[in-house]
Amino acid sequence: MRIAVDAMGGDNAPSEIVKGCIVAAKEFSDITLVLYGKEELIRQEGIEEFKNIEIVHTDEKILSEDDPVRSIRRKKEASMVKAAVSVKKGENDALFSAGNTGALLAAGTLLIGRAKGVDRPGLLATFPSLSDGDTVFHMIDVGANADSKPLNINQYATLGSLYSKRVHGKQAPTVGLLNNGTEENKGSMLTKEAYQLLEKNPEINFIGNVEAREILNGAADVIVTDGFTGNAVLKTIEGTAISMMGLLKDSIYNNGMKAKIGGLLLKDSLKNMKDLLDYSKHGGAVLFGLKAPVIKTHGSATEEPVYYTIRQIRDMLQSHVLEELIDYFEHNEEQMP
Amino acid sequence: MRIAVDAMGGDNAPSEIVKGCIVAAKEFSDITLVLYGKEELIRQEGIEEFKNIEIVHTDEKILSEDDPVRSIRRKKEASMVKAAVSVKKGENDALFSAGNTGALLAAGTLLIGRAKGVDRPGLLATFPSLSDGDTVFHMIDVGANADSKPLNINQYATLGSLYSKRVHGKQAPTVGLLNNGTEENKGSMLTKEAYQLLEKNPEINFIGNVEAREILNGAADVIVTDGFTGNAVLKTIEGTAISMMGLLKDSIYNNGMKAKIGGLLLKDSLKNMKDLLDYSKHGGAVLFGLKAPVIKTHGSATEEPVYYTIRQIRDMLQSHVLEELIDYFEHNEEQMP
């Protein structure tokens, strides 16, 4: 398994990216990490001893403020572009980046390409189910497409189910449609039409509408939604969790000695809570529906999230979920309008 | 100021509704509360001594599972319908209910009616800004309409600004468009078109796009969005906050004696935190853009939230925000396509 890594993408590149790769390379002898970026900077992290880390030098990189499509087309020597092209050519099996999200979506779609029959790949994110720390759920699309059609949402359901089954070993993952009420007749024109398609989709275990209030409680294994709403929900979860941790900190530090001691006694328990909320443990967001795995992690990712994301990519490659996806959509393409 | 109260709406009706009304009637001698519902049940709470509480007896009520539009048309004797009709006739100045949200939206639109020039009234909710406990922000539409047009979002901006100015005394409230990125060219077809209208709207202080991650940090005084996304964001904030309070409780109670003592020492501080998060203090959600104030509070509302919502209605009536709204949209109707 060969993973193409954009070593220059993200706020902490290349240092933290390379560090995370080193941890992964140490643990998994069955993967080879091919790092695209400035060789001199990459070497500074001390990779000599690892036979399963390779470097492809490149001087250029895509910046966070670059226009996605234009930069992918013009910056042919950028680390992300060269890494994507290597996957396209079959030299590597998957693409990883912490860089410009829009550019990565464009690189995935334009350079690696959609799986035949998939109308729009969706961005799939994995969250911990807070009602039960051991389980996770997936939401797709969390922002690959700003405008989705009912057909897209139905495909997200098939894609998400496949991911849950193959990568997380869930037998018959439940699929819920994110909606503004649980009754069948609820929703926007988009969700009402999507509901009709989902109900008839033989590949999924559709359980109907799910409200945003319930998703963190494990309302369904796979939540499907259009990319605009999914993006808003993902960012609202992040923002609310960060704000509440901030409030909790204030409650402990700005309320006198009694509260400070209370905070000290609770330190370990609160650390566990923070760990549970830290969904970088579950890897990055997968642009799912392409011919190869393309995974994005947070721009601010450090060594640990980078490691978790590489582990996730290895899980994906080992599960052969992509082969199954490609096979399914090739043979069911005629069903799509 | 006469407020028509649907005493039979909500999970705790009529008891908690009447109790909240009693607290408000005691405090505010300048309001009269007209309670629509079963006289016998209402009288059980002991309202005799209050000259500013009146009862209009009615046997029927709208159930939470009733179809909104059908129930409003057919259940002419229902408490909510009679209360709405009284506002329509000018006998009362505002409508309050904790009942079926869809039915209240229908009652507001069909019985009380839209202000001339307002295409679609929006549901406006008020939240505490968590970065600063003293300030609030408003989001509109949080779910009156499942499908919104750019024109609607632009009107929500005018409506939300008016509310922030008149009811909360904000000088030049900032308006942010909820979007999937902050750059001007970001977004769905809907938000891109809405952006163009907002930029040209002379009534508002538009500051551009705002991401969901930032809204609780006080990114803008008024957040405008379509009703589907707004509903999802509102419910995600609620769900995430509830899940996190649950996690915090678990951290304290299920981690041995040390954590329990820590929790005890932190009790007061955590209570403050919970209070800050409790946005029922800021009243209910206003269906804004009608000829009179129509306010919905949570179905599970008890005495306290009912009281706060009545106080909010009084603030609205005293501010004359509705008169200004009606005046503005009447004179600017020709600008609307």
Side-chain angles (χ1 to χ4, degrees), chain A residues 146-147 179-180 187-189 211-213 228 231-232 235-238 241 244 247 251 255 258 269 276, chain B residues 146-147 179-180 187-189 211-213 228 231-232 235-238 241 244 247 251 265 269 276:
Chain A
D147 292 289
N179 212 336
N180 60 1
S188 61
M189 288 182 292
E211 290 199 77
R213 200 186 279 118
F228 189 85
N231 190 262
K235 287 174 180 167
T236 304
I237 293 174
E238 286 180 357
M244 284 190 65
L247 278 182
S251 301
N255 279 295
K258 208 172 89 175
S269 321
L276 181 55
Chain B
D147 292 288
N179 211 337
N180 60 2
S188 61
M189 287 181 292
E211 289 200 79
R213 200 186 279 119
F228 189 86
N231 191 261
K235 288 173 178 166
T236 304
I237 293 174
E238 285 180 0
M244 284 189 67
L247 279 181
S251 301
L265 291 171
S269 322
L276 181 57

mmCIF file of all heavy atoms in Angstrom, chain A residues 146-147 179-180 187-189 211-213 228 231-232 235-238 241 244 247 251 255 258 269 276, chain B residues 146-147 179-180 187-189 211-213 228 231-232 235-238 241 244 247 251 265 269 276:
data_model
loop_
_atom_site.group_PDB
_atom_site.id
_atom_site.type_symbol
_atom_site.label_atom_id
_atom_site.label_comp_id
_atom_site.label_asym_id
_atom_site.label_seq_id
_atom_site.Cartn_x
_atom_site.Cartn_y
_atom_site.Cartn_z
ATOM 1 N N ALA A 146 -21.776 22.573 -2.646
ATOM 2 C CA ALA A 146 -22.643 23.559 -2.000
ATOM 3 C C ALA A 146 -24.103 23.361 -2.407
ATOM 4 O O ALA A 146 -25.007 23.717 -1.661
ATOM 5 C CB ALA A 146 -22.187 24.968 -2.334
ATOM 6 N N ASP A 147 -24.327 22.778 -3.574
ATOM 7 C CA ASP A 147 -25.700 22.517 -4.015
ATOM 8 C C ASP A 147 -25.840 21.038 -4.359
ATOM 9 O O ASP A 147 -25.087 20.522 -5.184
ATOM 10 C CB ASP A 147 -26.030 23.372 -5.247
ATOM 11 C CG ASP A 147 -26.103 24.857 -4.904
ATOM 12 O OD1 ASP A 147 -27.067 25.253 -4.234
ATOM 13 O OD2 ASP A 147 -25.179 25.600 -5.279
ATOM 14 N N ASN A 179 -33.141 16.158 8.604
ATOM 15 C CA ASN A 179 -34.316 16.914 8.185
ATOM 16 C C ASN A 179 -34.819 17.795 9.325
ATOM 17 O O ASN A 179 -34.344 17.680 10.455
ATOM 18 C CB ASN A 179 -35.408 15.946 7.697
ATOM 19 C CG ASN A 179 -36.266 16.552 6.595
ATOM 20 O OD1 ASN A 179 -36.373 17.768 6.474
ATOM 21 N ND2 ASN A 179 -36.871 15.707 5.792
ATOM 22 N N ASN A 180 -35.780 18.673 9.022
ATOM 23 C CA ASN A 180 -36.285 19.600 10.042
ATOM 24 C C ASN A 180 -37.474 19.039 10.827
ATOM 25 O O ASN A 180 -38.217 19.780 11.458
ATOM 26 C CB ASN A 180 -36.616 20.962 9.418
ATOM 27 C CG ASN A 180 -37.677 20.859 8.341
ATOM 28 O OD1 ASN A 180 -38.187 19.776 8.072
ATOM 29 N ND2 ASN A 180 -38.014 21.969 7.729
ATOM 30 N N GLY A 187 -39.962 18.668 5.597
ATOM 31 C CA GLY A 187 -38.738 19.016 4.906
ATOM 32 C C GLY A 187 -38.854 20.012 3.791
ATOM 33 O O GLY A 187 -39.924 20.570 3.511
ATOM 34 N N SER A 188 -37.729 20.245 3.145
ATOM 35 C CA SER A 188 -37.643 21.128 1.995
ATOM 36 C C SER A 188 -37.992 20.318 0.757
ATOM 37 O O SER A 188 -38.136 19.094 0.813
ATOM 38 C CB SER A 188 -36.217 21.663 1.877
ATOM 39 O OG SER A 188 -35.327 20.585 1.690
ATOM 40 N N MET A 189 -38.082 20.975 -0.376
ATOM 41 C CA MET A 189 -38.336 20.248 -1.625
ATOM 42 C C MET A 189 -37.241 19.195 -1.814
ATOM 43 O O MET A 189 -37.519 18.062 -2.204
ATOM 44 C CB MET A 189 -38.334 21.228 -2.800
ATOM 45 C CG MET A 189 -39.564 22.124 -2.804
ATOM 46 S SD MET A 189 -39.600 23.254 -4.226
ATOM 47 C CE MET A 189 -38.228 24.344 -3.842
ATOM 48 N N GLU A 211 -33.412 14.422 13.169
ATOM 49 C CA GLU A 211 -33.195 15.842 13.439
ATOM 50 C C GLU A 211 -31.776 16.085 13.949
ATOM 51 O O GLU A 211 -31.183 15.220 14.603
ATOM 52 C CB GLU A 211 -34.202 16.341 14.465
ATOM 53 C CG GLU A 211 -35.616 16.401 13.890
ATOM 54 C CD GLU A 211 -36.495 17.313 14.716
ATOM 55 O OE1 GLU A 211 -36.376 18.541 14.583
ATOM 56 O OE2 GLU A 211 -37.297 16.788 15.505
ATOM 57 N N ALA A 212 -31.270 17.272 13.666
ATOM 58 C CA ALA A 212 -29.891 17.612 14.043
ATOM 59 C C ALA A 212 -29.670 17.474 15.549
ATOM 60 O O ALA A 212 -28.566 17.191 15.993
ATOM 61 C CB ALA A 212 -29.553 19.032 13.591
ATOM 62 N N ARG A 213 -30.726 17.661 16.331
ATOM 63 C CA ARG A 213 -30.592 17.575 17.784
ATOM 64 C C ARG A 213 -30.148 16.180 18.228
ATOM 65 O O ARG A 213 -29.537 16.015 19.273
ATOM 66 C CB ARG A 213 -31.942 17.924 18.433
ATOM 67 C CG ARG A 213 -31.862 18.347 19.879
ATOM 68 C CD ARG A 213 -33.246 18.514 20.455
ATOM 69 N NE ARG A 213 -33.857 19.782 20.128
ATOM 70 C CZ ARG A 213 -34.976 19.952 19.421
ATOM 71 N NH1 ARG A 213 -35.603 18.889 18.948
ATOM 72 N NH2 ARG A 213 -35.456 21.131 19.170
ATOM 73 N N PHE A 228 -24.222 21.758 1.829
ATOM 74 C CA PHE A 228 -24.303 23.061 2.503
ATOM 75 C C PHE A 228 -24.735 22.873 3.958
ATOM 76 O O PHE A 228 -24.104 23.374 4.879
ATOM 77 C CB PHE A 228 -25.272 24.003 1.767
ATOM 78 C CG PHE A 228 -25.220 25.411 2.297
ATOM 79 C CD1 PHE A 228 -24.278 26.298 1.829
ATOM 80 C CD2 PHE A 228 -26.091 25.824 3.294
ATOM 81 C CE1 PHE A 228 -24.193 27.602 2.343
ATOM 82 C CE2 PHE A 228 -26.015 27.114 3.818
ATOM 83 C CZ PHE A 228 -25.070 28.003 3.334
ATOM 84 N N ASN A 231 -22.122 20.963 6.048
ATOM 85 C CA ASN A 231 -21.010 21.815 6.431
ATOM 86 C C ASN A 231 -21.402 22.693 7.619
ATOM 87 O O ASN A 231 -20.629 22.852 8.578
ATOM 88 C CB ASN A 231 -20.627 22.685 5.223
ATOM 89 C CG ASN A 231 -19.336 23.438 5.440
ATOM 90 O OD1 ASN A 231 -19.349 24.606 5.794
ATOM 91 N ND2 ASN A 231 -18.227 22.753 5.267
ATOM 92 N N ALA A 232 -22.613 23.244 7.578
ATOM 93 C CA ALA A 232 -23.085 24.102 8.674
ATOM 94 C C ALA A 232 -23.197 23.298 9.973
ATOM 95 O O ALA A 232 -22.805 23.768 11.040
ATOM 96 C CB ALA A 232 -24.428 24.734 8.317
ATOM 97 N N LYS A 235 -19.673 22.439 11.387
ATOM 98 C CA LYS A 235 -19.030 23.603 11.989
ATOM 99 C C LYS A 235 -19.764 24.062 13.245
ATOM 100 O O LYS A 235 -19.154 24.634 14.144
ATOM 101 C CB LYS A 235 -18.935 24.735 10.967
ATOM 102 C CG LYS A 235 -17.871 24.444 9.917
ATOM 103 C CD LYS A 235 -17.868 25.471 8.819
ATOM 104 C CE LYS A 235 -16.781 25.148 7.787
ATOM 105 N NZ LYS A 235 -16.962 25.949 6.563
ATOM 106 N N THR A 236 -21.077 23.827 13.317
ATOM 107 C CA THR A 236 -21.820 24.187 14.526
ATOM 108 C C THR A 236 -21.429 23.268 15.677
ATOM 109 O O THR A 236 -21.274 23.712 16.820
ATOM 110 C CB THR A 236 -23.345 24.111 14.283
ATOM 111 O OG1 THR A 236 -23.681 24.933 13.175
ATOM 112 C CG2 THR A 236 -24.116 24.585 15.502
ATOM 113 N N ILE A 237 -21.261 21.983 15.385
ATOM 114 C CA ILE A 237 -20.813 21.046 16.430
ATOM 115 C C ILE A 237 -19.449 21.502 16.949
ATOM 116 O O ILE A 237 -19.241 21.642 18.156
ATOM 117 C CB ILE A 237 -20.723 19.595 15.896
ATOM 118 C CG1 ILE A 237 -22.114 19.050 15.559
ATOM 119 C CG2 ILE A 237 -20.032 18.678 16.920
ATOM 120 C CD1 ILE A 237 -22.108 17.674 14.886
ATOM 121 N N GLU A 238 -18.534 21.774 16.036
ATOM 122 C CA GLU A 238 -17.190 22.222 16.431
ATOM 123 C C GLU A 238 -17.255 23.492 17.266
ATOM 124 O O GLU A 238 -16.666 23.579 18.337
ATOM 125 C CB GLU A 238 -16.338 22.506 15.191
ATOM 126 C CG GLU A 238 -15.858 21.277 14.457
ATOM 127 C CD GLU A 238 -15.010 21.643 13.223
ATOM 128 O OE1 GLU A 238 -14.853 22.855 12.928
ATOM 129 O OE2 GLU A 238 -14.534 20.714 12.563
ATOM 130 N N ALA A 241 -18.908 22.999 20.737
ATOM 131 C CA ALA A 241 -18.028 22.238 21.633
ATOM 132 C C ALA A 241 -16.871 23.113 22.121
ATOM 133 O O ALA A 241 -16.559 23.138 23.316
ATOM 134 C CB ALA A 241 -17.500 20.988 20.923
ATOM 135 N N MET A 244 -18.149 25.703 24.600
ATOM 136 C CA MET A 244 -18.485 25.134 25.909
ATOM 137 C C MET A 244 -17.240 24.756 26.693
ATOM 138 O O MET A 244 -17.206 24.927 27.911
ATOM 139 C CB MET A 244 -19.429 23.956 25.738
ATOM 140 C CG MET A 244 -20.832 24.452 25.423
ATOM 141 S SD MET A 244 -22.054 23.147 25.484
ATOM 142 C CE MET A 244 -22.003 22.720 27.231
ATOM 143 N N LEU A 247 -16.142 27.934 28.173
ATOM 144 C CA LEU A 247 -16.976 28.309 29.327
ATOM 145 C C LEU A 247 -16.580 27.503 30.562
ATOM 146 O O LEU A 247 -16.504 28.018 31.669
ATOM 147 C CB LEU A 247 -18.450 28.000 29.027
ATOM 148 C CG LEU A 247 -19.264 28.983 28.218
ATOM 149 C CD1 LEU A 247 -20.699 28.483 28.112
ATOM 150 C CD2 LEU A 247 -19.245 30.356 28.873
ATOM 151 N N SER A 251 -15.256 28.774 34.072
ATOM 152 C CA SER A 251 -15.933 28.425 35.316
ATOM 153 C C SER A 251 -14.917 27.964 36.354
ATOM 154 O O SER A 251 -15.069 28.195 37.542
ATOM 155 C CB SER A 251 -16.925 27.281 35.092
ATOM 156 O OG SER A 251 -17.869 27.640 34.137
ATOM 157 N N ASN A 255 -13.471 31.651 39.160
ATOM 158 C CA ASN A 255 -14.476 31.605 40.219
ATOM 159 C C ASN A 255 -13.867 31.281 41.578
ATOM 160 O O ASN A 255 -14.453 30.577 42.379
ATOM 161 C CB ASN A 255 -15.575 30.607 39.858
ATOM 162 C CG ASN A 255 -16.600 31.205 38.909
ATOM 163 O OD1 ASN A 255 -17.304 32.135 39.271
ATOM 164 N ND2 ASN A 255 -16.651 30.704 37.694
ATOM 165 N N LYS A 258 -12.039 27.835 45.450
ATOM 166 C CA LYS A 258 -12.862 26.625 45.565
ATOM 167 C C LYS A 258 -13.040 25.966 44.186
ATOM 168 O O LYS A 258 -12.850 24.762 44.019
ATOM 169 C CB LYS A 258 -14.237 27.003 46.148
ATOM 170 C CG LYS A 258 -14.901 25.892 46.915
ATOM 171 C CD LYS A 258 -16.156 26.386 47.621
ATOM 172 C CE LYS A 258 -17.357 26.253 46.724
ATOM 173 N NZ LYS A 258 -18.631 26.615 47.393
ATOM 174 N N SER A 269 -10.871 13.412 34.699
ATOM 175 C CA SER A 269 -12.178 13.138 34.095
ATOM 176 C C SER A 269 -12.427 14.085 32.925
ATOM 177 O O SER A 269 -12.959 13.685 31.889
ATOM 178 C CB SER A 269 -13.296 13.329 35.110
ATOM 179 O OG SER A 269 -12.913 12.853 36.364
ATOM 180 N N LEU A 276 -12.823 12.286 24.227
ATOM 181 C CA LEU A 276 -13.993 11.731 23.552
ATOM 182 C C LEU A 276 -14.463 12.675 22.442
ATOM 183 O O LEU A 276 -14.892 12.250 21.368
ATOM 184 C CB LEU A 276 -15.113 11.508 24.584
ATOM 185 C CG LEU A 276 -16.414 10.897 24.067
ATOM 186 C CD1 LEU A 276 -16.145 9.590 23.347
ATOM 187 C CD2 LEU A 276 -17.379 10.648 25.228
ATOM 188 N N ALA B 146 -39.161 26.004 4.911
ATOM 189 C CA ALA B 146 -38.163 24.988 4.576
ATOM 190 C C ALA B 146 -37.397 25.374 3.315
ATOM 191 O O ALA B 146 -36.261 24.948 3.122
ATOM 192 C CB ALA B 146 -38.833 23.636 4.396
ATOM 193 N N ASP B 147 -38.010 26.170 2.454
ATOM 194 C CA ASP B 147 -37.332 26.614 1.236
ATOM 195 C C ASP B 147 -37.362 28.136 1.173
ATOM 196 O O ASP B 147 -38.435 28.738 1.229
ATOM 197 C CB ASP B 147 -38.024 26.029 -0.010
ATOM 198 C CG ASP B 147 -37.851 24.521 -0.090
ATOM 199 O OD1 ASP B 147 -36.730 24.084 -0.391
ATOM 200 O OD2 ASP B 147 -38.822 23.783 0.169
ATOM 201 N N ASN B 179 -22.734 31.081 5.934
ATOM 202 C CA ASN B 179 -22.251 30.511 4.685
ATOM 203 C C ASN B 179 -21.153 29.484 4.959
ATOM 204 O O ASN B 179 -20.692 29.351 6.090
ATOM 205 C CB ASN B 179 -21.747 31.640 3.769
ATOM 206 C CG ASN B 179 -21.944 31.313 2.296
ATOM 207 O OD1 ASN B 179 -22.042 30.141 1.921
ATOM 208 N ND2 ASN B 179 -22.002 32.325 1.465
ATOM 209 N N ASN B 180 -20.752 28.769 3.920
ATOM 210 C CA ASN B 180 -19.754 27.704 4.104
ATOM 211 C C ASN B 180 -18.324 28.196 3.922
ATOM 212 O O ASN B 180 -17.405 27.403 3.707
ATOM 213 C CB ASN B 180 -20.061 26.525 3.178
ATOM 214 C CG ASN B 180 -20.042 26.896 1.713
ATOM 215 O OD1 ASN B 180 -19.761 28.048 1.370
ATOM 216 N ND2 ASN B 180 -20.336 25.949 0.852
ATOM 217 N N GLY B 187 -20.177 29.684 -1.365
ATOM 218 C CA GLY B 187 -21.557 29.392 -1.049
ATOM 219 C C GLY B 187 -22.333 28.625 -2.095
ATOM 220 O O GLY B 187 -21.805 28.190 -3.125
ATOM 221 N N SER B 188 -23.606 28.428 -1.785
ATOM 222 C CA SER B 188 -24.541 27.763 -2.685
ATOM 223 C C SER B 188 -25.095 28.814 -3.643
ATOM 224 O O SER B 188 -24.845 30.012 -3.481
ATOM 225 C CB SER B 188 -25.680 27.162 -1.872
ATOM 226 O OG SER B 188 -26.361 28.195 -1.179
ATOM 227 N N MET B 189 -25.876 28.384 -4.615
ATOM 228 C CA MET B 189 -26.515 29.348 -5.517
ATOM 229 C C MET B 189 -27.341 30.338 -4.695
ATOM 230 O O MET B 189 -27.325 31.538 -4.944
ATOM 231 C CB MET B 189 -27.407 28.603 -6.514
ATOM 232 C CG MET B 189 -26.614 27.843 -7.565
ATOM 233 S SD MET B 189 -27.686 26.994 -8.767
ATOM 234 C CE MET B 189 -28.435 25.729 -7.735
ATOM 235 N N GLU B 211 -19.208 31.963 9.208
ATOM 236 C CA GLU B 211 -19.280 30.501 9.282
ATOM 237 C C GLU B 211 -19.949 30.062 10.587
ATOM 238 O O GLU B 211 -19.848 30.738 11.609
ATOM 239 C CB GLU B 211 -17.881 29.909 9.198
ATOM 240 C CG GLU B 211 -17.302 30.047 7.804
ATOM 241 C CD GLU B 211 -16.160 29.070 7.584
ATOM 242 O OE1 GLU B 211 -16.442 27.887 7.330
ATOM 243 O OE2 GLU B 211 -15.006 29.498 7.678
ATOM 244 N N ALA B 212 -20.596 28.912 10.534
ATOM 245 C CA ALA B 212 -21.338 28.412 11.696
ATOM 246 C C ALA B 212 -20.435 28.248 12.921
ATOM 247 O O ALA B 212 -20.891 28.360 14.051
ATOM 248 C CB ALA B 212 -22.011 27.084 11.355
ATOM 249 N N ARG B 213 -19.146 28.002 12.684
ATOM 250 C CA ARG B 213 -18.216 27.806 13.802
ATOM 251 C C ARG B 213 -18.114 29.060 14.667
ATOM 252 O O ARG B 213 -17.803 28.978 15.853
ATOM 253 C CB ARG B 213 -16.838 27.458 13.235
ATOM 254 C CG ARG B 213 -15.920 26.767 14.211
ATOM 255 C CD ARG B 213 -14.546 26.593 13.608
ATOM 256 N NE ARG B 213 -14.454 25.455 12.706
ATOM 257 C CZ ARG B 213 -14.147 25.524 11.415
ATOM 258 N NH1 ARG B 213 -13.911 26.694 10.859
ATOM 259 N NH2 ARG B 213 -14.080 24.438 10.681
ATOM 260 N N PHE B 228 -34.230 26.162 6.451
ATOM 261 C CA PHE B 228 -33.793 24.770 6.619
ATOM 262 C C PHE B 228 -32.455 24.717 7.354
ATOM 263 O O PHE B 228 -32.305 24.008 8.353
ATOM 264 C CB PHE B 228 -33.693 24.063 5.264
ATOM 265 C CG PHE B 228 -33.465 22.582 5.406
ATOM 266 C CD1 PHE B 228 -34.534 21.718 5.568
ATOM 267 C CD2 PHE B 228 -32.178 22.063 5.414
ATOM 268 C CE1 PHE B 228 -34.330 20.354 5.740
ATOM 269 C CE2 PHE B 228 -31.964 20.707 5.578
ATOM 270 C CZ PHE B 228 -33.043 19.844 5.736
ATOM 271 N N ASN B 231 -32.722 26.016 10.976
ATOM 272 C CA ASN B 231 -33.309 25.017 11.858
ATOM 273 C C ASN B 231 -32.269 23.970 12.243
ATOM 274 O O ASN B 231 -32.155 23.572 13.422
ATOM 275 C CB ASN B 231 -34.484 24.359 11.134
ATOM 276 C CG ASN B 231 -35.315 23.497 12.046
ATOM 277 O OD1 ASN B 231 -35.145 22.287 12.054
ATOM 278 N ND2 ASN B 231 -36.167 24.096 12.855
ATOM 279 N N ALA B 232 -31.466 23.536 11.266
ATOM 280 C CA ALA B 232 -30.430 22.531 11.541
ATOM 281 C C ALA B 232 -29.382 23.080 12.503
ATOM 282 O O ALA B 232 -28.947 22.396 13.432
ATOM 283 C CB ALA B 232 -29.779 22.082 10.237
ATOM 284 N N LYS B 235 -30.836 23.398 16.107
ATOM 285 C CA LYS B 235 -30.953 22.091 16.759
ATOM 286 C C LYS B 235 -29.589 21.456 17.026
ATOM 287 O O LYS B 235 -29.447 20.674 17.968
ATOM 288 C CB LYS B 235 -31.823 21.161 15.912
ATOM 289 C CG LYS B 235 -33.298 21.566 15.975
ATOM 290 C CD LYS B 235 -34.160 20.778 15.019
ATOM 291 C CE LYS B 235 -35.619 21.182 15.152
ATOM 292 N NZ LYS B 235 -36.424 20.685 14.014
ATOM 293 N N THR B 236 -28.596 21.789 16.204
ATOM 294 C CA THR B 236 -27.244 21.271 16.452
ATOM 295 C C THR B 236 -26.642 21.927 17.692
ATOM 296 O O THR B 236 -25.996 21.263 18.506
ATOM 297 C CB THR B 236 -26.334 21.502 15.231
ATOM 298 O OG1 THR B 236 -26.927 20.907 14.084
ATOM 299 C CG2 THR B 236 -24.960 20.885 15.449
ATOM 300 N N ILE B 237 -26.876 23.226 17.843
ATOM 301 C CA ILE B 237 -26.395 23.914 19.050
ATOM 302 C C ILE B 237 -27.034 23.267 20.282
ATOM 303 O O ILE B 237 -26.355 22.896 21.240
ATOM 304 C CB ILE B 237 -26.721 25.428 19.014
ATOM 305 C CG1 ILE B 237 -25.923 26.125 17.900
ATOM 306 C CG2 ILE B 237 -26.439 26.081 20.369
ATOM 307 C CD1 ILE B 237 -26.295 27.599 17.697
ATOM 308 N N GLU B 238 -28.356 23.095 20.234
ATOM 309 C CA GLU B 238 -29.066 22.483 21.368
ATOM 310 C C GLU B 238 -28.528 21.085 21.665
ATOM 311 O O GLU B 238 -28.218 20.748 22.805
ATOM 312 C CB GLU B 238 -30.560 22.366 21.052
ATOM 313 C CG GLU B 238 -31.328 23.668 21.135
ATOM 314 C CD GLU B 238 -32.814 23.470 20.807
ATOM 315 O OE1 GLU B 238 -33.239 22.321 20.516
ATOM 316 O OE2 GLU B 238 -33.540 24.468 20.826
ATOM 317 N N ALA B 241 -24.895 21.065 23.014
ATOM 318 C CA ALA B 241 -24.839 21.575 24.381
ATOM 319 C C ALA B 241 -25.387 20.538 25.367
ATOM 320 O O ALA B 241 -24.783 20.273 26.409
ATOM 321 C CB ALA B 241 -25.618 22.890 24.490
ATOM 322 N N MET B 244 -22.950 17.636 25.711
ATOM 323 C CA MET B 244 -21.755 17.987 26.481
ATOM 324 C C MET B 244 -22.051 18.130 27.965
ATOM 325 O O MET B 244 -21.235 17.752 28.799
ATOM 326 C CB MET B 244 -21.117 19.247 25.913
ATOM 327 C CG MET B 244 -20.361 18.935 24.632
ATOM 328 S SD MET B 244 -19.368 20.327 24.072
ATOM 329 C CE MET B 244 -18.138 20.420 25.376
ATOM 330 N N LEU B 247 -22.038 14.671 29.189
ATOM 331 C CA LEU B 247 -20.672 14.160 29.332
ATOM 332 C C LEU B 247 -20.024 14.691 30.609
ATOM 333 O O LEU B 247 -19.338 13.969 31.323
ATOM 334 C CB LEU B 247 -19.803 14.618 28.160
ATOM 335 C CG LEU B 247 -19.875 13.869 26.843
ATOM 336 C CD1 LEU B 247 -18.898 14.494 25.851
ATOM 337 C CD2 LEU B 247 -19.532 12.400 27.052
ATOM 338 N N SER B 251 -18.621 12.716 33.749
ATOM 339 C CA SER B 251 -17.234 12.885 34.191
ATOM 340 C C SER B 251 -17.187 13.069 35.697
ATOM 341 O O SER B 251 -16.258 12.631 36.366
ATOM 342 C CB SER B 251 -16.601 14.132 33.555
ATOM 343 O OG SER B 251 -16.623 14.030 32.172
ATOM 344 N N LEU B 265 -17.271 21.087 44.532
ATOM 345 C CA LEU B 265 -16.602 22.384 44.680
ATOM 346 C C LEU B 265 -16.916 23.306 43.497
ATOM 347 O O LEU B 265 -16.904 24.520 43.617
ATOM 348 C CB LEU B 265 -15.082 22.188 44.788
ATOM 349 C CG LEU B 265 -14.611 21.524 46.085
ATOM 350 C CD1 LEU B 265 -13.135 21.171 45.997
ATOM 351 C CD2 LEU B 265 -14.844 22.457 47.271
ATOM 352 N N SER B 269 -20.152 27.320 40.040
ATOM 353 C CA SER B 269 -19.625 27.798 38.756
ATOM 354 C C SER B 269 -20.329 27.103 37.603
ATOM 355 O O SER B 269 -20.630 27.715 36.580
ATOM 356 C CB SER B 269 -18.128 27.525 38.644
ATOM 357 O OG SER B 269 -17.488 27.729 39.860
ATOM 358 N N LEU B 276 -25.999 30.465 31.629
ATOM 359 C CA LEU B 276 -25.592 31.216 30.454
ATOM 360 C C LEU B 276 -26.111 30.520 29.192
ATOM 361 O O LEU B 276 -26.523 31.157 28.228
ATOM 362 C CB LEU B 276 -24.064 31.333 30.435
ATOM 363 C CG LEU B 276 -23.450 32.121 29.278
ATOM 364 C CD1 LEU B 276 -24.016 33.524 29.234
ATOM 365 C CD2 LEU B 276 -21.937 32.191 29.424
#
